[in-house]
Amino acid sequence: MDSFLIKGGVPLRGTVEISGSKNAALPILAATLLTDEPCVIRRVPDLSDTRFMVKILESLGATAKFENGTVTVHAKKIKGYADYDLVRKMRGSICIAGPLLGRLKKARISLPGGCIIGARPINLHLKGFQALGCKIKIEGGYIDATAKKITGNSMFLGGRAGPTVLGTANIMMAAALGDGITVIESAACEPEVVDVANFLNAMGAKISGVGSPTITIEGVKKLHGAEHEVIPDRIEAATFLIAAGATNGEITVKGARAEHLRAVIDKLGEAGVSVERNGADLIARRKGKLKPVDITTLPYSGFPTDVQAQMMALLVLAKGISIITERIFESRFMHVSELARLGADIEIEGPSAIVKGGKPLSGAPVMASDLRASAALVIAGMAAKGTTQVNRIYHLDRGYEKMDEKLKKLGARIQRVEEK
Ligand code: EPU
């Protein structure tokens, strides 16, 4: 298992280019299953998760080519059965269920199971499929969904923690090839959902209302091949903006969309990190001392759960008390004990982490537990004195394209140590 060796204390300076969004690319790649014509998806980040999704598409019978950020998929003839071993390894693979149901009216997929950040149920996906007329059986760890036809319907998809991102994408994809009109209430408003809908519409779907809590899908008989460019990764962009603040540097972030980052930019401003727009670029720099800030993660357009860990790494450096409340995933605090190994003083109280910031950080070996926690440890390592070894960096490779190379270009002393 590879690790990163980081020598802290260097302010990041320079320009970084943002890659395509992982969480948009995954359902968009899955959506290519909805047509028997070729599709071309550009700006796909080269990550273990996107490579994995391509493998799943191939295992279902599609031919696919992934070259220089472009994936060409031709799902001429596909089957509705996904191998257990493939699906179980990546939770995001649940988003093949919608396209399989739309195209074949059947899907047999292993239940994805929980993960380190929380239970991750799929009850809302199943509720939506049932509303569309699917019969669902759960047997031997598999979801077996079948339908004579997909019938448009109205449904409420809000759950205990609000809307569901992949659940909304799944229902849009199944209903796109349904009979009649589907209305999703309490739909997820995330930019990744909007991007999936834009691709589906380019394929000939009739979806409106995306980006709002009410999405309407008018079913069509057939979808055709299309080309699409994935939106920039707002979570990667946020991670670099935070890294600029944490290292007291100045970074120009190229290709990010400020309108997708409002909550993050607002909280960074409160914390003493200014983010200015310069044409299409964002420039992040520290304005004086860091200040403590309270944050609650919420569905879009609130503060994203996927940026909570990285923001904690920044707030650990701000003198005073910050309260970070996690409202989306109940156990997404695995980074707390690892940040403590670097000298951070954080207490967990139910869904909140109380950060008593301002204590000096010093390098130590730490263990990455999930994707965003890994990014937080890299940020903290860059802000700490001495050397930090972040182990199990494969978590980070799932969602950040060439992070070590991008950080090196910004001046970070970071080295990938490959385990032989
Ligand atoms: N939920 C339910 N029932 C469901 C589905 C979700 O109760 O059927 C709950 C979840 O337990 C959670 C909340 O609803 O409390 C939101 O979960 P959501 O379904 O929106 O998450 P997801 O679609 O499985 C995507 C991203 C995550 C990101 C979340 C929230 C992908 C591949 N994953 O997951 O990304 O944290 O939305 O924004 O799109 C990451 O990139 O690190 C990551 C974990």
Side-chain angles (χ1 to χ4, degrees):
M1 276 179 262
D2 294 1
S3 60
F4 278 171
L5 260 190
I6 301 165
K7 286 194 181 135
V10 186
L12 297 182
R13 286 191 199 288
T15 299
V16 64
E17 186 109 24
I18 296 308
S19 300
S21 156
K22 164 183 85 84
N23 289 347
L26 292 175
I28 286 171
L29 288 171
T32 63
L33 293 170
L34 282 161
T35 175
D36 58 6
E37 295 179 15
C39 293
V40 180
I41 315 298
R42 303 189 198 285
R43 195 156 58 186
V44 178
D46 194 350
L47 306 166
S48 50
D49 269 15
T50 48
R51 291 258 164 207
F52 203 69
M53 179 55 88
V54 169
K55 247 194 200 164
I56 293 177
L57 301 181
E58 287 172 332
S59 82
L60 292 167
T63 56
K65 201 173 75 184
F66 194 162
E67 240 173 35
N68 302 324
T70 298
V71 180
T72 309
V73 186
H74 192 184
K76 197 166 182 174
K77 212 166 167 265
I78 52 163
K79 59 175 185 169
Y81 175 89
D83 280 348
Y84 168 74
D85 266 352
L86 280 179
V87 172
R88 124 193 116 77
K89 284 193 192 138
M90 184 174 72
R91 198 194 119 118
S93 52
I94 186 68
C95 64
I96 61 172
L100 290 178
L101 281 167
R103 169 110 175 250
L104 305 173
K105 320 297 173 218
K106 64 175 184 193
R108 188 171 147 78
I109 297 170
S110 77
L111 275 163
C115 75
I116 195 94
I117 65 174
R120 313 208 68 178
I122 54 158
N123 58 311
L124 297 170
H125 299 239
L126 301 183
K127 178 183 173 187
F129 292 145
Q130 279 165 332
L132 295 176
C134 301
K135 291 215 162 31
I136 312 265
K137 265 199 308 199
I138 297 198
E139 245 173 28
Y142 276 81
I143 312 161
D144 225 322
T146 49
K148 284 210 173 71
K149 60 174 188 171
I150 301 292
T151 312
N153 200 352
S154 293
M155 64 185 80
F156 180 82
L157 273 198
R160 133 191 98 67
T164 161
V165 173
L166 289 177
T168 303
N170 247 340
I171 301 309
M172 284 193 314
M173 295 191 281
L177 282 178
D179 270 9
I181 291 176
T182 296
V183 179
I184 309 175
E185 294 289 1
S186 196
C189 301
E190 270 70 2
E192 293 76 16
V193 173
V194 177
D195 207 30
V196 176
N198 287 342
F199 175 53
L200 293 170
N201 284 341
M203 296 171 86
K206 290 189 175 161
I207 303 175
S208 58
V210 280
S212 85
T214 307
I215 295 180
T216 305
I217 307 129
E218 200 183 312
V220 297
K221 288 266 169 299
K222 208 172 152 40
L223 293 175
H224 52 76
E227 292 199 18
H228 184 78
E229 186 172 282
V230 175
I231 53 167
D233 197 313
R234 64 190 168 105
I235 308 300
E236 188 200 13
T239 303
F240 279 104
L241 297 175
I242 292 170
T247 61
N248 202 1
E250 181 173 329
I251 302 185
T252 300
V253 173
K254 268 196 151 12
R257 295 211 190 145
E259 68 271 24
H260 293 168
L261 285 159
R262 286 210 179 97
V264 173
I265 291 174
D266 185 63
K267 285 294 172 186
L268 278 173
E270 266 186 52
V273 181
S274 83
V275 179
E276 281 163 28
R277 279 173 100 145
N278 181 16
D281 302 341
L282 296 177
I283 301 168
R285 65 170 79 89
R286 191 124 124 205
K287 281 261 148 81
K289 280 201 171 124
L290 288 174
K291 293 186 274 285
V293 169
D294 293 343
I295 284 165
T296 300
T297 65
L298 290 167
Y300 192 77
S301 57
F303 194 90
T305 172
D306 290 344
V307 186
Q308 179 257 107
Q310 302 90 311
M311 197 68 181
M312 190 182 294
L314 176 79
L315 293 175
V316 152
L317 306 168
K319 197 166 187 306
I321 292 184
S322 299
I323 299 179
I324 301 179
T325 304
E326 175 56 57
R327 289 275 176 228
I328 310 293
F329 292 113
E330 65 270 28
S331 357
R332 207 169 199 179
F333 280 137
M334 299 299 288
H335 40 286
V336 166
S337 47
E338 297 303 303
L339 288 172
R341 291 178 56 79
L342 300 176
D345 185 352
I346 308 167
E347 258 175 62
I348 298 177
E349 282 279 336
S352 298
I354 299 158
V355 180
K356 298 171 197 161
K359 309 225 160 78
L361 299 187
S362 63
V366 288
M367 192 82 86
S369 56
D370 77 74
L371 170 56
R372 308 304 171 188
S374 322
L377 295 175
V378 170
I379 292 171
M382 290 190 300
K385 248 200 170 146
T387 303
T388 295
Q389 178 155 19
V390 184
N391 292 302
R392 298 201 179 170
I393 216 65
Y394 64 86
H395 287 294
L396 194 116
D397 291 335
R398 284 189 37 225
Y400 287 94
E401 191 176 47
K402 301 193 178 92
M403 182 168 227
D404 44 338
E405 289 174 31
K406 289 185 182 183
L407 285 172
K408 247 187 219 158
K409 274 196 195 140
L410 295 170
R413 287 180 293 180
I414 183 167
Q415 196 193 328
R416 182 181 285 265
V417 182
E418 286 179 23
E419 195 173 283
K420 299 198 175 80

